[in-house]
Amino acid sequence: MEKSKRLFMKSKRSFRRRLPPIQSGDRIDYKNMGLISRFISEQGKILSRRVNRLTLKQQRLITIAIKQARILSLLPFLNNEKQFEKSESTARTTTL
């Protein structure tokens, strides 16, 4: 009987609550590159809301800020450094 009761009891593991990625004092703005760059992948894509752990309103503001920064060329639309290196090396061989 005691064994069956144990199955239904919750485990009392302690867990550390994660801090929200955007503090209350942070302004979500296209000029705040330190904040915006945390929500972009290595390829230059905007990370999803689940990955960022943001609220819907914060995710919308981040998306707008990233798009504004891209238009003003503060951020690249794509991050193709590897592709650029490959095309650069092939261009050298063809000119020689």
Side-chain angles (χ1 to χ4, degrees):
M1 188 77 172
E2 289 180 26
K3 251 187 181 178
S4 63
K5 285 184 180 179
R6 280 189 217 156
L7 295 174
F8 294 110
M9 291 179 63
K10 284 187 175 180
S11 64
K12 294 187 178 183
R13 273 192 255 161
S14 64
F15 65 94
R16 184 176 168 212
R17 189 177 183 122
R18 291 187 177 181
L19 296 173
I22 297 178
Q23 303 299 327
S24 60
D26 290 339
R27 288 199 60 185
I28 301 174
D29 197 11
Y30 69 92
K31 293 177 272 187
N32 194 352
M33 297 303 294
L35 179 72
I36 289 177
S37 61
R38 288 191 281 170
F39 303 108
I40 299 176
S41 68
E42 291 180 5
Q43 292 86 22
K45 295 180 181 179
I46 301 171
L47 294 174
S48 69
R49 193 176 144 224
R50 281 183 293 162
V51 174
N52 292 335
R53 301 185 322 268
L54 295 174
T55 63
L56 183 62
K57 187 174 183 179
Q58 289 173 336
Q59 182 69 23
R60 282 192 195 128
L61 292 172
I62 285 290
T63 303
I64 290 168
I66 290 171
K67 289 179 180 180
Q68 286 175 343
R70 285 176 176 168
I71 289 170
L72 294 171
S73 64
L74 298 172
L75 282 175
F77 281 90
L78 296 173
N79 192 5
N80 291 337
E81 292 176 3
K82 292 178 183 176
Q83 186 179 6
F84 178 71
E85 289 172 4
K86 288 179 184 176
S87 64
E88 188 177 285
S89 62
T90 56
R92 285 185 198 160
T93 56
T94 56
T95 55
L96 294 176

